[in-house]
Amino acid sequence: MTATRGWLCFGLGTGLALAAPARSVAIQPNIVFIMADDLDVDLGSMAAEYAPNIHRLIADEGVTLDRYYVSDSLCCPSRTTYLRGQYTHNHGVFTNGGDSGGYAQLRARDLETSTLATWLTAAGYRTGLFGKYINGYPLDDDPTHVPPGWSDFVSPAAGNAYGSYNYTLNDNGTLVAHGRAADDYITDVIAGEADDFIAQSAKGDAPFFAFVVPYAPHVPAVPAPRHAALFPDLVVPRTASYNEADVSDKPAAIADRPLLNARQMTAGDDLYRMRIQSMQAVDELVARLVGTLEATGELANTLVVFTSDNGFHIGQHRLPRGKTTAYEEDIHVPFYARGPGIAQATHVAGTLIGNVDIAPTLATIAGAAVPSFVDGRSFAGYLTGDVDTITQASPWRQGYLIEQYPFADERGAVTPPANADRGGLLEPPDDVDEGPYFRARAGAAVAGEGEAPIATYIALRTDRYTYVEYESGERELYDNVNDPQQLTNIAASGDPLLLESLATYAPLLHACHGQACRSIETTVGMVIDFIDTPTPTVTATPAPTETTAPLRVWLPIASNGAVTAGAFGASGKFLWRR
């Protein structure tokens, strides 16, 4: 492979104009994208002492996104967002299985025909996926299916993949069984497959994209034998949100919960320790892949990214363990990247970036065309420090949509699979003590046949606030600057104008598509007040009508942030709030 490729410099920061210029193969970088499963950042699992290679070889050599979020804290919806650049309400893979999600829905909606993999393939890349794909993959009648766009595809097709042993891989259409031997440990096998792909790809002239997707630290978080005795004294950090003392201001599903008991706390500590133990093999995977990139002369030409599909909680707000909430532990995930044009040890702070942006960003960097259905935007300029190319084109987003949908159980399916050998591919239960917090409630409204399910909640994460609106009508509002652990719900006591603004924008984003999503995001907090002032000659107060009552509206305006002169009349008052 030639050594002349470098960072793709044109069009990197365009926040709204997604279509990339014609590609130039000579400057396309390789991309190695490593995504852990259920990896938290707020509980301390990414501390340098627990992930030394990730910090030394990626974060310290590149950039950290301090405010990187997932829009749906559940594996399958989030992974589909990573591949498609769409919010969950647009790609339609709402849960991990059953009638509303999983791989069956991805196939039924024909989403595989246009993903990041197909876009990069069209741009001349050699592509490979190694590890977990989409929950419920493969279908019972097609166990060796290789999705479109992947030159190399190695993913579990049967057995107990989450348990790290006794699984069968679909290796490019051939089923390969793995047992209980030490070298069958799944993270090590994934590392070896990805490493071989990089080494072989480096011998050719085409740029390559490796999507490396280990199962760790997902429950049951089985560590490699060589790591099973590490960190014997680790426990979940006892912060103020852990086993929260007063939850009376939170929704009933939490307010009615008792304090965690000793058994739950011990189980949480054991899981926390095993999660960090299981991540040691992932940390070694990173070192192995970076080492091969360096040995083949490709490291300088390669964008290396490390992140997660969603976060995780263990004991926060009295919730034993799991995800799917809008709290920071579940939606805030790690993001580190190194590559051409990225300065060492830099941080991007105060900028809301999310998993909906990954596909358009990587496609833009690769010189691939981005379809119009994409909701996200390229943040490549934030990686390279070329922020002006973003802000000059359009204001960056001021709010990020979080949404969650009901599912039948923690495994994401109403009934077990027809093929019992594939049961180990289903999502293992998270909260074994109390059941999932956001399980569909008895009597809750449900969608009709063929309709999208009704969201359990929609939420909006701004630079400062988290606003959550539940299907039950309950609401939460947190000031994350003054209350970073989200202990005090100020929905009933906060600024009414702020609350009204957030309550207006959340459903707008929940209904947005494509370009409209990006336009609405940039205007979160922009308030237009239409106030009719009575004249002194009016002696009687007419009954309020739709046309005479004061009107306060939050609306998307021009994408460059400008207000058209005269558009709102002389009585309009423009306010900006963050």
Side-chain angles (χ1 to χ4, degrees):
M1 186 175 295
T2 63
T4 59
R5 290 201 312 271
W7 192 268
L8 186 68
C9 293
F10 45 76
L12 287 183
T14 53
L16 301 182
L18 293 177
R23 75 179 172 90
S24 172
V25 176
I27 59 172
Q28 289 175 297
N30 308 311
I31 302 170
V32 176
F33 192 87
I34 305 163
M35 187 169 74
D37 193 343
D38 284 8
L39 178 61
D40 67 273
V41 66
D42 284 32
L43 304 189
S45 296
M46 287 309 301
E49 61 186 304
Y50 306 140
N53 291 318
I54 295 171
H55 281 272
R56 177 176 61 90
L57 298 174
I58 304 181
D60 293 350
E61 291 295 322
V63 62
T64 298
L65 302 184
D66 289 339
R67 293 195 177 174
Y68 179 75
Y69 291 90
V70 296
S71 59
D72 189 323
S73 184
L74 189 65
C75 295
C76 198
S78 180
R79 288 164 185 268
T80 307
T81 293
Y82 271 103
L83 290 171
R84 295 266 302 180
Q86 291 177 292
Y87 283 120
T88 301
H89 67 266
N90 285 330
H91 62 59
V93 181
F94 297 101
T95 64
N96 285 341
D99 296 332
S100 61
Y103 182 65
Q105 282 295 307
L106 187 102
R107 284 288 294 272
R109 294 175 177 272
D110 200 29
L111 301 184
E112 285 183 317
T113 59
S114 183
T115 67
L116 180 61
T118 65
W119 310 341
L120 295 192
T121 295
Y125 274 72
R126 184 173 186 233
T127 62
L129 182 142
F130 310 95
K132 181 176 175 179
Y133 180 41
I134 298 293
N135 302 67
Y137 168 88
L139 300 181
D140 286 332
D141 60 355
D142 194 7
T144 59
H145 171 70
V146 175
W150 298 106
S151 315
D152 209 345
F153 186 85
V154 183
S155 185
N160 189 18
Y162 285 94
S164 298
Y165 297 98
N166 296 322
Y167 57 90
T168 298
L169 292 178
N170 174 11
D171 189 340
N172 295 304
T174 300
L175 297 178
V176 180
H178 288 264
R180 278 288 315 179
D183 58 3
D184 289 316
Y185 184 68
I186 194 167
T187 302
D188 294 343
V189 171
I190 291 169
E193 294 285 352
D195 193 54
D196 289 345
F197 172 82
I198 291 172
Q200 291 301 315
S201 297
K203 297 176 182 179
D205 292 328
F208 56 85
F209 167 55
F211 191 17
V212 187
V213 207
Y215 282 76
H218 196 290
V219 171
V222 177
R226 62 187 181 275
H227 303 135
L230 296 177
F231 317 117
D233 300 323
L234 270 185
V235 297
V236 180
R238 276 11 183 207
T239 60
S241 63
Y242 178 81
N243 208 12
E244 188 174 344
D246 182 2
V247 293
S248 60
D249 59 342
K250 287 182 165 55
I254 292 182
D256 294 342
R257 298 182 68 93
L259 289 165
L260 299 177
N261 59 41
R263 176 180 59 83
Q264 292 171 317
M265 295 170 71
T266 298
D269 290 338
D270 291 343
L271 176 61
Y272 183 73
R273 182 173 61 255
M274 291 177 67
R275 282 167 55 84
I276 291 178
Q277 290 171 341
S278 72
M279 278 299 299
Q280 301 312 295
V282 177
D283 195 57
E284 293 172 353
L285 173 153
V286 168
R288 180 174 180 176
L289 300 188
V290 172
T292 298
L293 288 168
E294 186 170 26
T296 58
E298 291 296 331
L299 184 57
N301 301 325
T302 303
L303 171 67
V304 182
V305 176
F306 181 87
T307 188
S308 177
D309 60 348
N310 50 255
F312 204 71
H313 61 255
I314 307 178
Q316 289 70 40
H317 316 297
R318 300 191 186 181
L319 298 168
R321 71 187 202 191
K323 55 236 182 198
T324 75
T325 80
Y327 298 126
E328 288 291 285
E329 294 84 7
D330 291 1
I331 63 172
H332 183 210
V333 298
F335 187 101
Y336 314 111
R338 66 172 293 172
I342 300 178
Q344 293 181 328
T346 60
H347 284 254
V348 175
T351 301
L352 295 168
I353 298 173
N355 59 337
V356 75
D357 302 319
I358 290 297
T361 298
L362 297 186
T364 300
I365 289 170
V370 181
S372 60
F373 64 71
V374 166
D375 302 326
R377 62 186 77 202
S378 172
F379 61 87
Y382 282 111
L383 298 179
T384 61
D386 189 16
V387 179
D388 286 345
T389 61
I390 293 179
T391 57
Q392 289 175 3
S394 168
W396 190 254
R397 72 162 55 90
Q398 302 301 311
Y400 191 59
L401 174 69
I402 313 296
E403 52 191 349
Q404 186 63 229
Y405 296 84
F407 46 90
D409 58 33
E410 278 290 327
R411 293 168 71 81
V414 177
T415 58
N419 182 350
D421 187 44
R422 295 186 56 247
L425 298 178
L426 293 179
E427 191 86 350
D430 285 323
D431 187 343
V432 296
D433 294 304
E434 300 293 340
Y437 171 36
F438 288 115
R439 177 179 291 162
R441 302 187 316 280
V446 295
E449 184 175 355
E451 297 179 1
I454 297 171
T456 309
Y457 71 77
I458 59 175
L460 191 61
R461 181 56 162 96
T462 73
D463 180 58
R464 178 167 182 170
Y465 296 98
T466 297
Y467 170 77
V468 192
E469 184 175 302
Y470 295 91
E471 184 268 336
S472 64
E474 297 167 293
R475 298 197 292 182
E476 290 180 282
L477 177 62
Y478 296 98
D479 181 342
N480 298 308
V481 173
N482 293 319
D483 181 20
Q485 296 197 48
Q486 300 176 316
L487 303 176
T488 304
N489 176 13
I490 59 173
S493 60
D495 179 354
L497 180 60
L498 169 67
L499 191 67
E500 189 177 357
S501 174
L502 297 174
T504 300
Y505 271 100
L508 283 176
L509 281 173
H510 181 55
C512 73
H513 300 274
Q515 171 68 45
C517 297
R518 299 188 292 278
S519 295
I520 294 169
E521 287 173 336
T522 64
T523 62
V524 171
M526 291 184 179
V527 183
I528 309 299
D529 273 353
F530 294 89
I531 303 174
D532 293 331
T533 304
T535 64
T537 58
V538 175
T539 58
T541 303
T545 66
E546 187 173 349
T547 57
T548 61
L551 176 63
R552 178 178 291 135
V553 181
W554 287 260
L555 290 174
I557 57 177
S559 62
N560 63 1
V563 180
T564 303
F568 305 112
S571 63
K573 181 173 65 175
F574 180 82
L575 302 176
W576 173 263
R577 291 208 171 202
R578 290 190 181 183

